[in-house]
């Protein structure tokens, strides 16, 4: 048995080495210079979650097994933690330096539906707020690889709007128990039949909903091959990280999943997002950089290459915003396909959340069946909690704190078949917040309007706008 295990470890090392290809090939013929991200370096040591008491029966809680396995690898200087076939129910997982979480093909790491297991403890005292299922903070050389899945068990956390589900789906949620608002429009997973609450009200518990994977202030992050699904909120959000590669992952959740963003990059530098497939409930591939003074402190999203990805359902295929006060600089988006997204290229922000964009180059984007706009700029966006109404924030001003500054954006060679509006851009009256936007050599088949523009300066050249015969 030991000989077989050693052979398996050797094969894993070969596979990981083969996956760690030369990513410099994606950096040819860029319109702006940017460095190739440094790949996470993982030692050859390998352990199996079963060796630390892990049981993949979908019933046993494996939080302690993951903790022990990661601790053992940390003492060896790092290595690969193999999660084999099975359903591995767990609470929080915290990755350390030089560690790869390797999820094999028929393995599913699943967040326990017991919400009480999603709090960190400090000196035996439970923290007040829940934490991300898989996290790393101020770490170097961390990765998640393999062909398996990580499931955030999001239905146990997310509110559901009655208007966005069928009668049968609504019955499935109410069968779980839960709480329906007085007007019958929203179901909350509060007072469920089988699991205890972690707050005194559904509104307080809603504020405990968190993301599935978050890396903060880390260097050399590599995520490859895995499926990420059913997060309570965002699926993966590297924040203030440098050298990030997200390659060939699948992100999926219900189309109506509240805040179900797929890949969100926040104030990161030197990032490659390539060969991924997204089918999500909110934004697909989204760039963020904080709001207000904190965003400026954290800095911009800078040197980002997004190439060869497919986005099915999402609120936006590629998105900047809504919060990006730290700025966006040197971003290349090319050779991507969007099908059935609400919008294609989406630039959204509002006063107190905006920043400046520089050197944004978008090219060779194909879109089909876009529900609303193929390209949209919005400067009065509001990030509202579920159940709250949008306020009337029509503004006439000449300046405002952290207003959006969408400029130096170059979009070319877009083909969009079937969208309601081809290009929409609405700035803030009295302010210059959408300008120096170049859209060229593109074709749009639309059903309602070719252009819907106000308080914005767009330079549109060599584009075709086609609709049904009158």
């Amino acid at each position: 048995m030991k000989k077989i295990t050693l052979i398996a470890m050797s094969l894993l090392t070969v596979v990981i080495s083969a996956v760690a290809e030369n990513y410099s090939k994606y950096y040819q013929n860029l319109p702006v210079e940017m460095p190739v991200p440094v790949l996470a370096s993982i030692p050859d040591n390998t352990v199996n979650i079963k060796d630390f008491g892990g049981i993949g029966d979908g019933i046993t809680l494996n939080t302690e097994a993951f903790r022990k396995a990661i601790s053992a690898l940390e003492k060896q200087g790092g290595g690969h933690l193999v999660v084999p076939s099975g359903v591995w129910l767990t609470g929080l997982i915290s990755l350390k330096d030089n560690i790869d979480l390797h999820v094999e093909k028929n393995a599913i790491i699943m967040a326990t539906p017991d919400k009480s297991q999603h709090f960190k403890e400090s000196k035996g005292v439970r923290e007040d707020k829940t934490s991300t299922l898989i996290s790393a903070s101020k770490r170097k050389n961390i990765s998640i690889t393999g062909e398996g899945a990580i499931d955030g068990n999001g239905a146990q956390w997310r509110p559901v709007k009655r208007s966005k589900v069928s009668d049968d789906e609504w019955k499935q949620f109410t069968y779980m128990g839960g709480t329906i608002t007085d007007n019958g429009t929203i179901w909350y997973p509060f007072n469920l039949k089988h699991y205890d609450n972690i707050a005194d009200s559904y509104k307080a518990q809603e504020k405990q909903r968190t993301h599935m994977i978050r890396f903060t202030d880390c260097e050399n992050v590599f995520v490859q091959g895995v499926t990420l699904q059913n997060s309570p909120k965002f699926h993966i959000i590297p924040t203030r990280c440098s050298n990030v590669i997200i390659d060939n992952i699948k992100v999926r959740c219900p189309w109506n999943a509240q805040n179900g963003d797929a890949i969100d990059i926040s104030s990161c530098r030197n990032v490659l997002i390539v060969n991924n497939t997204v089918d999500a409930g909110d934004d697909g591939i989204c760039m963020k950089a904080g709001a207000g003074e904190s965003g400026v402190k954290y800095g911009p999203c800078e040197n980002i290459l997004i190439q060869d990805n497919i986005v099915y359902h999402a609120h936006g295929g590629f998105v900047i915003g809504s919060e990006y006060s730290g700025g966006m600089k040197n971003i290349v988006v090319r050779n991507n396909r969007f099908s059935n997204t609400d919008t294609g290229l989406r630039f959204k922000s509002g006063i107190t959340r905006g920043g400046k964009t520089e050197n944004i180059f978008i090219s060779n984007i194909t879109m089909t069946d876009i529900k609303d706009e193929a390209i949209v700029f919005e400067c009065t966006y509001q990030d509202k909690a579920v159940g709250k109404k949008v306020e009337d924030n029509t503004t006439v001003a000449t300046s405002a704190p952290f207003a959006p500054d969408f400029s130096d954006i170059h979009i070319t060679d877009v083909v969009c078949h079937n969208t309601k509006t081809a290009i929409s851009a609405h700035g803030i009256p009295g302010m210059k917040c959408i300008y120096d936007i170049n859209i060229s050599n593109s074709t749009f088949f639309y059903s309602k309007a070719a252009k819907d523009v106000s308080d914005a300066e767009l330079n549109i050249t060599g584009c075709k706008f086609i609709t049904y015969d009158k």
Side-chain angles (χ1 to χ4, degrees), residues 15 17 27 29 258 268 300 328 332 352 361 364 398:
V15 170
S17 298
Y27 287 78
N29 303 314
Q258 189 73 26
C268 293
M328 298 283 151
V332 176
T352 73
F361 295 91
N364 295 308
T398 56

Side-chain angles (χ1 to χ4, degrees), residues 360-422:
I360 312 297
F361 295 91
I362 301 173
S363 62
N364 295 308
I365 308 296
T366 58
M367 308 185 200
T368 56
D369 299 321
I370 306 302
K371 176 176 171 285
D372 296 318
E373 303 96 352
I375 302 172
V376 58
F377 293 86
E378 181 182 0
C379 291
T380 57
Y381 179 85
Q382 295 180 47
D383 189 16
K384 64 183 182 68
V386 62
K388 288 191 176 182
K389 294 182 178 179
V390 175
E391 299 176 359
D392 181 5
N393 64 348
T394 303
T395 305
V396 177
T398 56
S399 64
F402 305 105
D405 186 346
F406 290 121
S407 61
D408 197 6
I409 297 174
H410 311 274
I411 302 171
T412 187
D413 297 303
V414 172
V415 175
C416 178
H417 177 79
N418 193 23
T419 184
K420 185 181 293 183
T421 301

Side-chain angles (χ1 to χ4, degrees), residues 7 59 70 86 111 141 146 153 180 185 194 255 269 314 359 412 414 454:
I7 292 172
I59 300 172
I70 290 170
N141 298 321
N153 222 335
I180 300 174
T185 60
H194 303 295
W255 72 271
R269 291 175 172 81
N359 288 337
T412 187
V414 172
S454 62

